[in-house]
Amino acid sequence: MKNHYKYLAVLIAVLTTTACQKETDDSGTIYCAPIESVVAFQLLDESSNKDLFSIDAAKYKPQDLKLYPFNYTNKSDTIVLKRLKHENNHIFVFANQNIGQSRFLLQVADLPMDTLSYHVIKEPSACDLRKFVTASFNGQPVTPENDLLILKK
């Protein structure tokens, strides 16, 4: 499982680094394109601690997972989720350009909606990078493990 986290940390670092388009003008001023917050999470069954989308014993299909902005108005407002498979686990990744507090609704199949919230800060550098400060799932604190949010449902 440790390699799993290292793989994810490298992936997020690459995505974050490549998101920064650094350019300089004749005066040496550096301009950076906006950097997206890359959020990666895994959904586990709260009682068994197993991946809800595990290849071996999946309770749900990855297509059953939908992510919406917190104040969405219709089902077409879904946010694109990228899916990574590692061993028998699924990790879901999405990008968000909003800085600060971000809230989303997460729905698995026909289960009630869950709330995912997180807060990031910009780290000063030539191109500001973003770092998790806090995260919560249904109001319960979640501690990012190598930038991976482990959510228990």
Side-chain angles (χ1 to χ4, degrees), residues 94-138:
F94 69 97
N96 178 23
Q97 288 189 337
N98 294 333
I99 298 174
Q101 185 73 26
S102 298
R103 292 172 56 181
F104 300 91
L105 295 173
L106 198 103
Q107 186 167 28
V108 178
D110 58 352
L111 298 176
M113 293 248 193
D114 298 294
T115 304
L116 171 62
S117 303
Y118 68 90
H119 182 78
V120 294
I121 58 169
K122 290 169 94 176
E123 290 191 325
S125 65
C127 283
D128 294 332
L129 301 176
R130 297 185 185 176
K131 177 182 176 184
F132 277 113
V133 178
T134 60
S136 68
F137 187 61
N138 293 328

Side-chain angles (χ1 to χ4, degrees), residues 21-72:
Q21 304 290 325
K22 206 177 354 175
E23 295 181 22
T24 57
D25 64 11
D26 292 336
S27 68
T29 304
I30 298 174
Y31 298 96
C32 298
I35 300 174
E36 298 175 330
S37 293
V38 177
V39 180
F41 65 91
Q42 182 179 15
L43 271 171
L44 302 181
D45 181 278
E46 195 165 26
S47 58
S48 68
N49 235 17
K50 293 190 178 187
D51 190 320
L52 288 175
F53 303 94
S54 171
I55 295 166
D56 292 341
K59 284 189 172 183
Y60 303 100
K61 297 176 190 164
Q63 308 84 281
D64 293 337
L65 180 63
K66 303 288 185 225
L67 184 71
Y68 304 98
F70 188 75
N71 55 355
Y72 83 104

